[in-house]
Amino acid sequence: MIINTPEITDIDTVISIYYRYPEIGTKQIEQIFSKRSKATVSRLKKSAKKQMAEDNIYTYGMYKINTECAYKVWGIDVLDLERRRNKLQKLGL
């Protein structure tokens, strides 16, 4: 299940958060997306928690969500972003 998500802020931030944090919270979600209303963050968290329940994935923090599961639900493909970032660097952009 992939949900409708806001635009990401930038490729490097999204990749960095993915590899740095096994679980993310509100602060990281706000860094990932350009639209950051509380309602949007809440909706994004809720969608990830629903998928986590279906996949039997648990978190250590009550207010955190599993990063890998969240990215999957939000339709963020890290491998594609890495490929794009590498191409931009190769082109000097």
Side-chain angles (χ1 to χ4, degrees), residues 6-23:
E7 183 177 334
I8 62 172
T9 53
D10 69 271
I11 292 173
D12 290 331
T13 300
V14 175
I15 293 171
S16 174
I17 289 172
Y18 182 80
Y19 287 116
R20 278 182 204 255
Y21 302 100
E23 296 180 351

Side-chain angles (χ1 to χ4, degrees), residues 6-7 9 29-30 32-37 40-41 43-44:
E7 183 177 334
T9 53
I29 296 169
E30 289 174 344
I32 293 169
F33 296 107
S34 54
K35 184 178 179 185
R36 309 174 225 224
S37 74
T40 300
V41 171
R43 178 178 56 85
L44 292 167

